[in-house]
Amino acid sequence: MLNWFSNPRRQLLWSVGSLIVSMSVLVPLLTRVMGPLPGFLTCFLVYWLGFCLPITLYFTKRLRSCGAYALDVGSSRWIPWCVALQIVVIAISSFALLEDEVSVLAVVSALLFAAVNGVLEEFAWRGAFFEQGKGDPWFQAFGVGLFAAWHVPLVFAYRITYPGGPLALLGGTFAMGAFWAFLVARTNRIGWPIIGHVSMNAIAFIGFFVSNGL
């Protein structure tokens, strides 16, 4: 039994499973007890401190030691253009769904949220699954599915509205996770995925905060 847990890949998978189970309880509970938006943000604070940071520190040592933020694309000069296209598509689709006036507070909150969440998630998901699954694309692909799966508990947040609905949340998460994982596989770095993720979160969460009364 101890040998089973000594395998880093299994430790990573166990950590992700524990995250999904715990968030399945915490998200509906905290959004009811604390109120929808305060409870939702508290869940993310727990997620960042209790999952993303420990996973990053424990599972991405090699990645962090060799310049994880590098933006060198080698011969793959199409990568920056694809990230730019992703940002444009997300911006058009997100702002098309906006029905209420955008407040300064919503914009500032989205930018702050994106800066923290985008960086931490790229290390904890793309970074960890890339480092532990190097040479094994199936393990990395499995990480994409688990990344989408951890968003399932968010669907059950009490009175939280997602622009485009829950299917847009889960489908978009899977599609973007797959795109960012592909970029990591091509560059061996998470620099461009971080740019794409932070930009996507900044844009999408403006609409999220507006829709939820901020």
Side-chain angles (χ1 to χ4, degrees):
M1 188 68 174
L2 291 177
N3 289 334
W4 193 94
F5 282 104
S6 66
N7 183 294
R9 289 192 183 187
R10 291 171 181 166
Q11 291 172 348
L12 179 57
L13 294 177
W14 177 262
S15 300
V16 172
S18 300
L19 167 73
I20 295 172
V21 171
S22 61
M23 283 298 168
S24 297
V25 176
L26 285 178
V27 171
L29 175 64
L30 293 184
T31 50
R32 282 182 176 273
V33 172
M34 301 179 66
L37 194 55
F40 183 90
L41 295 177
T42 300
C43 288
F44 264 87
L45 183 61
V46 172
Y47 165 60
W48 293 335
L49 297 178
F51 178 81
C52 291
L53 278 176
I55 292 297
T56 296
L57 294 174
Y58 188 78
F59 290 105
T60 66
K61 294 175 183 177
R62 286 191 305 243
L63 184 66
R64 287 182 288 114
S65 68
C66 63
Y69 294 100
L71 299 177
D72 180 33
V73 296
S75 61
S76 302
R77 297 179 181 178
W78 48 268
I79 288 178
W81 293 103
C82 284
V83 173
L85 179 61
Q86 171 226 297
I87 294 171
V88 171
V89 170
I90 294 296
I92 292 174
S93 58
S94 295
F95 290 122
L97 295 171
L98 279 175
E99 297 179 354
D100 300 315
E101 184 178 347
V102 177
S103 66
V104 173
L105 182 58
V107 173
V108 172
S109 298
L111 292 175
L112 291 174
F113 184 95
V116 176
N117 191 64
V119 174
L120 287 180
E121 284 202 321
E122 285 311 305
F123 271 106
W125 290 97
R126 256 62 62 187
F129 275 89
F130 174 74
E131 182 165 319
Q132 300 306 319
K134 201 164 187 178
D136 186 353
W138 290 109
F139 184 77
Q140 296 174 41
F142 190 45
V144 173
L146 290 175
F147 176 65
W150 110 254
H151 289 74
V152 172
L154 300 180
V155 172
F156 301 99
Y158 179 65
R159 290 188 176 176
I160 286 291
T161 300
Y162 298 103
L167 289 180
L169 168 69
L170 299 178
T173 297
F174 181 81
M176 289 295 94
F179 174 58
W180 297 326
F182 175 69
L183 295 184
V184 173
R186 288 300 300 244
T187 63
N188 294 326
R189 300 289 187 274
I190 59 173
W192 284 107
I194 285 176
I195 291 175
H197 198 150
V198 171
S199 301
M200 187 276 288
N201 275 175
I203 295 167
F205 269 87
I206 291 175
F208 171 81
F209 284 126
V210 170
S211 298
N212 289 281
L214 198 62

